[in-house]
Amino acid sequence: HKDSLKLGLAIAANEGFNLISGDIKSAFLQGKSLQREVLVLPPAEAKEEGVLWRLEKGAYGLLDGSRLFYLELKETLENLGMRPLSGDPAFFSMHEEGKLIGIVCIHVDDLLMSGNSNFENQIVRKLQQHFKFSKIEKQKFKYLGCEIEKLPSGDISLNQNEYIQNIKDVVVPSKRNNYRVNETEKKEIRRVVGELLWVSLMTRPDLSFDVNQLS
């Protein structure tokens, strides 16, 4: 949840935790095995006449693919000593001698991790041993379209400047007898409103009313 992400960043700033971003590679294929039979046509380069493949993992596109990966990740984190937040099953925390030492926020296959050096040794390194990551970044990185950076002061900066600059304008021809937009233009307007909504929820609450009116 977006509020959990902000909570995690606030905790990280307050506790002086390091920030780490991790992107798990081909995540769904690293999830739990399918408990149902799913047959697919092989890809063209491996296609054989009359042959089907039986999926062993929840490949991308299956309704339960994301959940099977989450269950594998959840089990792994719990085995390492982490526990999910009661109000958000994608937010995990770890304590040592009654003191919080680290947290993990999950958004599908993107992980935002923060903690002290013990947490990095116990959780981050062991996660890298269990899952294949496409990248691990520290202190400054992009997460869910947001630029996140831990500053020398200990504060954490959060912005979506690049994301905002890449939002494309909606162009409606000025020479028109009425103000009605066509279906293609409606689709474009909905796209932009959706992108602005994400901005208002994440880093620009000052835009909330304007985005509401646009909706």
Side-chain angles (χ1 to χ4, degrees), residues 39-52:
L39 302 176
V40 297
L41 290 171
E45 59 270 22
K47 194 169 183 179
E48 297 179 47
E49 191 67 30
V51 173
L52 296 176

Side-chain angles (χ1 to χ4, degrees), residues 47-66:
K47 194 169 183 179
E48 297 179 47
E49 191 67 30
V51 173
L52 296 176
W53 283 5
R54 178 184 289 112
L55 287 183
E56 295 183 3
K57 298 286 187 175
Y60 182 79
L62 294 183
L63 293 176
D64 48 358
S66 180

Side-chain angles (χ1 to χ4, degrees), residues 125-176:
R125 291 183 181 178
K126 290 182 180 178
L127 281 176
Q128 288 180 268
Q129 293 170 3
H130 188 89
F131 296 101
K132 293 179 181 178
F133 283 77
S134 59
K135 62 180 178 180
I136 293 282
E137 298 175 292
K138 296 184 178 183
Q139 307 300 59
K140 183 179 181 180
F141 46 79
K142 185 181 293 184
Y143 185 78
L144 305 183
C146 299
E147 297 285 347
I148 300 176
E149 180 180 5
K150 183 177 179 180
L151 304 176
S153 64
D155 292 341
I156 294 175
S157 168
L158 183 67
N159 75 74
Q160 290 174 287
N161 295 339
E162 183 179 344
Y163 179 86
I164 292 169
Q165 290 298 322
N166 288 330
I167 296 178
K168 296 180 180 179
D169 294 338
V170 176
V171 179
V172 179
S174 57
K175 294 182 179 179
R176 191 176 281 179

Side-chain angles (χ1 to χ4, degrees), residues 4-214:
S4 298
L5 174 61
K6 294 176 183 176
L7 172 64
L9 292 172
I11 292 172
N14 189 62
E15 298 294 326
F17 287 162
N18 292 322
L19 290 181
I20 304 168
S21 170
D23 184 4
I24 297 179
K25 183 178 181 180
S26 304
F28 291 1
L29 300 182
Q30 298 189 62
K32 289 193 171 296
S33 298
L34 280 167
Q35 298 302 308
R36 59 194 179 95
E37 188 172 74
V38 179
L39 302 176
V40 297
L41 290 171
E45 59 270 22
K47 194 169 183 179
E48 297 179 47
E49 191 67 30
V51 173
L52 296 176
W53 283 5
R54 178 184 289 112
L55 287 183
E56 295 183 3
K57 298 286 187 175
Y60 182 79
L62 294 183
L63 293 176
D64 48 358
S66 180
R67 176 151 182 82
L68 289 170
F69 168 70
Y70 166 76
L71 292 174
E72 178 67 24
L73 179 56
K74 176 177 182 289
E75 182 179 290
T76 302
L77 289 172
E78 290 180 332
N79 288 340
L80 292 173
M82 301 201 74
R83 294 292 176 265
L85 194 69
S86 60
D88 189 341
F91 187 109
F92 288 76
S93 64
M94 185 174 188
H95 292 75
E96 192 173 76
E97 297 181 354
K99 181 176 176 59
L100 180 70
I101 66 168
I103 58 177
V104 174
C105 298
I106 301 170
H107 187 272
V108 193
D109 57 353
D110 292 319
L111 308 184
L112 177 64
M113 301 169 281
S114 64
N116 61 19
S117 56
N118 286 345
F119 173 79
E120 287 194 50
N121 289 328
Q122 294 181 48
I123 302 299
V124 179
R125 291 183 181 178
K126 290 182 180 178
L127 281 176
Q128 288 180 268
Q129 293 170 3
H130 188 89
F131 296 101
K132 293 179 181 178
F133 283 77
S134 59
K135 62 180 178 180
I136 293 282
E137 298 175 292
K138 296 184 178 183
Q139 307 300 59
K140 183 179 181 180
F141 46 79
K142 185 181 293 184
Y143 185 78
L144 305 183
C146 299
E147 297 285 347
I148 300 176
E149 180 180 5
K150 183 177 179 180
L151 304 176
S153 64
D155 292 341
I156 294 175
S157 168
L158 183 67
N159 75 74
Q160 290 174 287
N161 295 339
E162 183 179 344
Y163 179 86
I164 292 169
Q165 290 298 322
N166 288 330
I167 296 178
K168 296 180 180 179
D169 294 338
V170 176
V171 179
V172 179
S174 57
K175 294 182 179 179
R176 191 176 281 179
N177 295 328
N178 56 59
Y179 290 101
R180 290 185 177 276
V181 294
N182 58 40
E183 289 302 317
T184 300
E185 291 162 345
K186 284 182 182 179
K187 185 177 180 180
E188 283 298 293
I189 292 171
R190 291 191 189 102
R191 173 187 59 78
V192 171
V193 171
E195 291 172 333
L196 292 174
L197 177 62
W198 181 242
V199 171
S200 70
L201 292 173
M202 292 300 294
T203 59
R204 294 291 304 275
D206 57 301
L207 298 178
S208 297
F209 179 79
D210 293 327
V211 175
N212 176 271
Q213 293 300 296
L214 283 172

